[in-house]
Amino acid sequence: MKFLKMITLSICAIALIVGSSVSVQAKEWRGWNIHVAGYPNTVAMDKFAELLKEKSGGKMTLKMYHAGTLGSQPDAIEQVRLGGLEIANFNLGPLGPIVPEANVVSLPFIFKNTDHMWRVLDGKAGDMINAGMAKKGLVALAWYDAGSRSFYNSKKPIQTPADVVGMKVRVMNNDLYSGMIKALGGNPSPMAFSEVYQSLKTGVVDGAENNWPSYESTGHFEVAPYYSVSQHLIIPETLCINADVYNSLSAADQKILKEAAQESAVLQRQLWKEREKASEEKVLKGGAKMNTIPDKSAFQAAMKPVYDKFLADNPDLKPLVALIQNTP
Ligand code: GTR
């Protein structure tokens, strides 16, 4: 009897040791980020990694790989879905071709402004986008700000849709953006972010489109100095994790993860506001020429075929589009 008790105790002790060593030695996650040092998203993701470690007592650790060193965004999306990478900050633009619900934010001019976007994301539409991501193996943890995107090019200021006619414009990997440029009479060229500088410089493309911070951080303003404030896209970004990894965590660890992500998002959004202004000032000092667009409604009207095609191809998404459009 005494002997049996001893064996049972020893087994318990071994189980304890094994159990604790498993949790202490949990695999270090790898995080993908496209942006360079000092960019709001980069700082926020480093903060996220730090918070994760701190809040979990070292149980959840994340090594961040910045500046797209682990590959292009479309590739990284596949990697996180399949579990080759665990965590990433993605723009909803390149996610659209995989997650139909996330694609609605890539309809040009769908949001009235950034505040409208936050109201939408905080409501039912945000839940529907998150559910769409979950179906594709990605769990959304927080939203990051990416401001609004405008056109820039090496040739001339864009004032009306007629100025885009014949222009070669780099777009992110998403048919909606190709459709957008075609609807304006331009030639779309889908291309990885990392290739755009050289393509602008050598004239492979005449222009591209992005927010102030990316226009600045990439140096695109040096080779495409005409920035025309069209604000045709306001696309949020997501901080997300592979669904299997997320589902393998205890409820307590999932809570820690979400808290750390939310805290990093608060920081990212604050840094974003500052960086938008600083980048605008920096590029204008560096020689970029900014123009406002007197009548944006001409650009909006030109997008009718883009909406018509999208809704015809995705009848299931009509209610989500309407929900966004009807959100005050
Ligand atoms: C940036 C965005 C990146 C990437 C890039 C691009 O604004 O933060 O994730 O999508 O634009 O144009 O490819």
Side-chain angles (χ1 to χ4, degrees), residues 30 35 46 53 102 123 141 147 153-154 168-169 173-175 178 180 196-197 217 241-242 258 271 292:
R30 296 200 302 163
H35 293 291
D46 281 342
K53 194 170 171 188
L141 300 170
N153 74 91
S154 57
K168 284 177 285 174
V169 186
N173 195 39
N174 187 323
D175 286 347
S178 295
M180 167 182 83
V196 186
Y197 182 89
S217 70
I241 182 167
N242 168 278
K258 285 209 164 155
L271 294 174
T292 53

Side-chain angles (χ1 to χ4, degrees), residues 8-61:
T8 318
L9 276 177
S10 322
I11 290 173
C12 286
I14 290 167
L16 263 179
I17 291 164
V18 170
S20 64
S21 69
V22 165
S23 59
V24 169
Q25 287 171 8
K27 190 178 157 220
E28 184 177 58
W29 293 333
R30 296 200 302 163
W32 180 92
N33 166 37
I34 205 166
H35 293 291
V36 292
Y39 201 88
N41 306 31
T42 306
V43 178
M45 289 205 79
D46 281 342
K47 183 75 189 169
F48 174 56
E50 191 187 307
L51 288 169
L52 259 187
K53 194 170 171 188
E54 202 179 285
K55 286 175 187 279
S56 70
K59 211 164 81 178
M60 285 187 270
T61 55

